[in-house]
Amino acid sequence: MKIRNCLNPSKPSFSFEFFPPKTDAGVASLLRTVEELAPLEPGFVSVTYGAGGSTRDRTVDLVTHIKKHTGIEAMAHLTCVGHTRDELRDVLRRLDAAGIENVLLLRGDPPLGQATFEPVPGGFRYAEELVRFVREEDFNFCLGGACYPEGHVETASREDDLKHLKAKVDAGMDFVVTQLFFDNAFYFDFVERARRAGINVPIVPGIMPITNYEQVQRFTRMCGATVPMRLALQMERVKDQPDAVVQLGVAHATVQCMELLARGVPGIHFYTLNKSPATRMIVGALKGRS
Ligand code: FAD
């Protein structure tokens, strides 16, 4: 199933993102998480692509395994980092041969220790080039990409970032998924600006329930997402009580999702961090309400 066909505001789909674990024990634990989330009938799940090394093969193996053994549509992420176009073609061929129909194409972050992104010789500098490449080759994937309601961390301005997003979408993207955000105002404003700029593909909000405050502070420093002052103060107050942090994080994300659904989003993508409880609580509450 092509994901673009299940992104529909009149029947929004929930989707779950995982990362490829480094160890076999981690993989076993992730597959248990997938089983626990399966009853929520996700429209699709996705598996991220590592910065390098052995977990990259695990992305291909995991999406293949999940699709084959659970029947859930599984999307692979793929980045330009460290890959020549021949290597990228090879990964895409393996995905295609495994029956994977959806790929999220990304540039990737600069490797640790590098201030700016430098493509390898024969590789790509921007996700847009990778999209163009996949469209020019003989593949029939449904293609997703990333977008940034608060602007990408490297961009000079949100206007520039939107201009680049438009070029990336025009190169052949079917839908985009947002970076995580904790304040829906950023999403609604972004969608409005994107539509005005002529970006007409579905824009799926990415939600990460806070379950560990230090971890969220680390992520938000990396990706530039704003934690609203009120939420930050509430988190500070309970940061030494793990259960209270989860309750607060789940409550905040549930309220965010309810508003997003009420205002007609085509789906909600959950950054699960390979754990099921918080996402189960949120989606359970959302499904109970309909
Ligand atoms: P691009 O769209 O190429 O944009 C990168 C930067 O370049 C932006 O600042 C943009 O404005 C600018 N730019 C783009 N085109 C041009 C141009 N023509 N001229 C000048 N500037 C330009 N990372 C991983 O390593 N693995 C993953 O699996 C992964 N999954 C992700 C999933 C989602 C939903 C999101 C939101 C992010 C994900 N990331 C992942 C992180 C992502 O790789 C980084 O945010 C990365 O820094 C940018 O990737 P991109 O595809 O958005 O890049």
Side-chain angles (χ1 to χ4, degrees):
M1 183 207 57
K2 301 275 198 282
I3 287 172
R4 62 170 170 259
N5 297 328
C6 81
L7 296 174
N8 181 353
S10 63
K11 197 170 181 293
S13 71
F14 298 113
S15 53
F16 307 134
E17 181 172 306
F18 308 114
F19 62 84
K22 290 199 174 73
T23 62
D24 290 345
V27 169
S29 160
L30 170 57
L31 293 177
R32 278 196 299 279
T33 296
V34 174
E35 262 174 44
E36 285 159 7
L37 290 170
L40 297 172
E41 300 176 332
F44 66 96
V45 299
S46 79
V47 181
T48 62
Y49 201 66
S54 63
T55 67
R56 293 188 143 188
D57 285 335
R58 282 217 156 107
T59 297
V60 179
D61 295 345
L62 278 165
V63 287
T64 306
H65 180 96
I66 291 170
K67 182 158 177 166
K68 187 166 168 203
H69 293 281
T70 67
I72 301 171
E73 195 56 51
M75 170 170 73
H77 296 207
L78 180 62
T79 74
C80 305
V81 177
H83 276 321
T84 62
R85 66 187 64 204
D86 288 344
E87 289 166 351
L88 289 162
R89 186 188 295 108
D90 185 52
V91 179
L92 290 158
R93 281 193 180 143
R94 282 163 57 209
L95 290 168
D96 196 28
I100 299 303
E101 296 178 64
N102 304 278
V103 188
L104 194 87
L105 298 179
L106 303 133
R107 185 200 68 179
D109 286 320
L112 273 182
Q114 280 181 28
T116 54
F117 183 90
E118 287 304 328
V120 294
F124 298 119
R125 181 173 292 278
Y126 298 113
E128 178 193 340
E129 298 169 37
L130 178 56
V131 180
R132 213 174 289 288
F133 171 74
V134 177
R135 286 304 181 213
E136 281 164 8
E137 296 276 316
D138 192 19
F139 292 115
N140 185 26
F141 292 114
C142 171
L143 297 181
C147 64
Y148 305 86
E150 299 185 58
H152 182 255
V153 279
E154 291 165 32
T155 197
S157 72
R158 288 185 194 172
E159 288 65 37
D160 274 3
D161 208 30
L162 204 56
K163 208 171 66 195
H164 299 142
L165 176 63
K166 166 99 168 85
K168 181 162 79 171
V169 169
D170 288 350
M173 268 182 179
D174 295 299
F175 66 97
V176 287
V177 181
T178 75
Q179 183 58 277
L180 60 94
F181 57 88
F182 298 104
D183 180 346
N184 288 350
F186 288 117
Y187 173 83
F188 296 128
D189 173 66
F190 174 71
V191 172
E192 203 178 303
R193 289 187 296 115
R195 299 304 182 222
R196 271 206 307 270
I199 297 168
N200 294 315
V201 294
I203 301 176
V204 182
I207 295 293
M208 191 174 80
I210 298 178
T211 54
N212 174 321
Y213 193 42
E214 280 88 48
Q215 191 179 46
V216 162
Q217 284 179 314
R218 214 168 49 243
F219 284 157
T220 50
R221 264 198 307 275
M222 261 160 30
C223 75
T226 308
V227 180
M229 182 68 83
R230 196 163 130 203
L231 179 62
L233 289 173
Q234 288 167 332
M235 282 287 170
E236 279 294 327
R237 221 172 289 139
V238 297
K239 67 179 179 203
D240 299 323
Q241 304 162 52
D243 288 351
V245 170
V246 173
Q247 276 171 20
L248 193 53
V250 165
H252 182 80
T254 306
V255 171
Q256 264 193 290
C257 292
M258 288 176 84
E259 187 188 24
L260 290 164
L261 291 170
R263 290 184 56 174
V265 293
I268 299 180
H269 189 66
F270 289 92
Y271 295 104
T272 69
L273 302 179
N274 290 7
K275 301 213 163 44
S276 72
T279 305
R280 268 184 17 227
M281 281 190 264
I282 297 164
V283 178
L286 295 171
K287 288 198 162 214
R289 119 191 196 284
S290 59

